């Protein structure tokens, strides 16, 4: 069947559910076993709800968690064990300057072969997060255009990270040389 939404991203999880990120309607999760749609929306009164209803990207990680990039409010993570959304936001606190995202407009999320999560933002460039150590690493040199916008990410067979930018072309981060 057809549902009347503006879908921006789609993926499936380990349970066979289809996650659909929309423009303005949050996340729809379609259960292929039951045929039932479940809709999750932003709700500022609920800290475990989505941060925003415009969903730019969705990533199922290798632990069964779902990473969701929203147009505002940073990354929403649906942890398999909790069945609710947590948020990785940009912090304004000076002591968190390096261990934070540089923008809350998330355009792309991937996980590499080393389980690092790479987040491309609009206005804040590229950040990698090591979930084991909680270390954030920023790569300002990969998007030098004025918008510092990352639109898409890809890890190739060699482990290099390809970065599609808005206004600065395609860049590649060689993971061995870090350039």
């Amino acid at each position: 069947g057809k549902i009347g939404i503006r879908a921006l991203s789609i993926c499936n999880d380990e349970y066979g559910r289809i996650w659909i990120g929309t423009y303005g309607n949050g996340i729809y999760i379609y259960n292929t076993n039951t045929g039932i749609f479940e809709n999750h929306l932003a709700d500022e009164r609920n800290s475990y709800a989505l941060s925003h209803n415009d969903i730019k990207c969705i990533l199922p990680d290798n632990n069964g968690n779902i990473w969701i990039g929203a147009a505002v409010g940073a990354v929403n993570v649906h942890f398999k064990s909790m069945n609710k959304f947590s948020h990785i936001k940009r912090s304004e606190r000076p002591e968190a300057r390096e261990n934070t995202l540089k923008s809350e407009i998330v355009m792309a999320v991937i996980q590499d072969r080393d389980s690092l999560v790479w987040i491309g933002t609009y206005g804040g460039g590229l950040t990698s997060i090591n979930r084991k150590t909680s270390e954030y690493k920023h790569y300002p040199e990969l998007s030098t255009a004025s918008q510092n916008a990352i639109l898409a990410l890809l890890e190739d067979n060699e482990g290099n990270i390809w970065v599609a930018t808005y206004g600065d072309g395609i860049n590649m981060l060689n993971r061995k040389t870090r350039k």
Side-chain angles (χ1 to χ4, degrees):
K2 181 178 174 184
I3 57 173
I5 58 171
R6 291 185 281 178
L8 297 177
S9 54
I10 190 167
C11 77
N12 63 326
D13 67 18
E14 63 186 297
Y15 302 109
R17 296 176 300 184
I18 309 294
W19 293 66
I20 305 164
T22 70
Y23 179 77
N25 291 305
I27 290 274
Y28 282 88
I29 304 170
Y30 178 68
N31 187 318
T32 56
N33 298 318
T34 65
I36 295 174
F37 278 96
E38 185 182 322
N39 184 223
H40 292 270
L41 296 167
D43 180 354
E44 58 190 37
R45 296 165 296 171
N46 180 354
S47 61
Y48 298 112
L50 286 174
S51 63
H52 198 269
N53 287 326
D54 291 349
I55 306 302
K56 301 293 187 185
C57 55
I58 309 171
L59 165 76
D61 72 15
N62 57 15
N63 293 319
N65 306 312
I66 307 293
W67 294 67
I68 300 161
V72 178
V75 178
N76 300 265
V77 184
H78 186 272
F79 290 104
K80 178 173 81 169
S81 60
M82 298 187 332
N83 199 27
K84 58 187 171 185
F85 297 98
S86 293
H87 307 106
I88 298 174
K89 297 182 176 186
R90 179 175 184 252
S91 175
E92 297 292 339
R93 295 186 343 259
E95 67 273 12
R97 200 172 26 239
E98 290 309 310
N99 275 337
T100 186
L101 295 176
K102 299 292 185 184
S103 169
E104 290 191 350
I105 304 171
V106 177
M107 304 297 289
V109 180
I110 64 168
Q111 183 177 40
D112 70 17
R113 63 184 67 191
D114 298 326
S115 296
L116 293 176
V117 175
W118 296 80
I119 300 171
T121 67
Y122 189 94
L126 181 64
T127 300
S128 66
I129 301 174
N130 182 325
R131 296 287 296 154
K132 292 177 183 157
T133 65
S134 297
E135 178 188 10
Y136 288 57
K137 184 161 170 111
H138 304 286
Y139 300 86
E141 69 279 5
L142 293 176
S143 179
T144 56
S146 60
Q147 292 89 355
N148 199 12
I150 308 298
L151 301 180
L153 298 167
L154 171 79
E155 180 185 25
D156 68 19
N157 293 336
E158 304 296 319
N160 300 311
I161 303 297
W162 291 82
V163 181
T165 69
Y166 181 81
D168 202 24
I170 304 284
N171 295 304
M172 190 221 15
L173 173 66
N174 182 310
R175 296 282 302 283
K176 292 177 183 135
T177 65
R178 291 283 187 209
K179 296 181 180 184

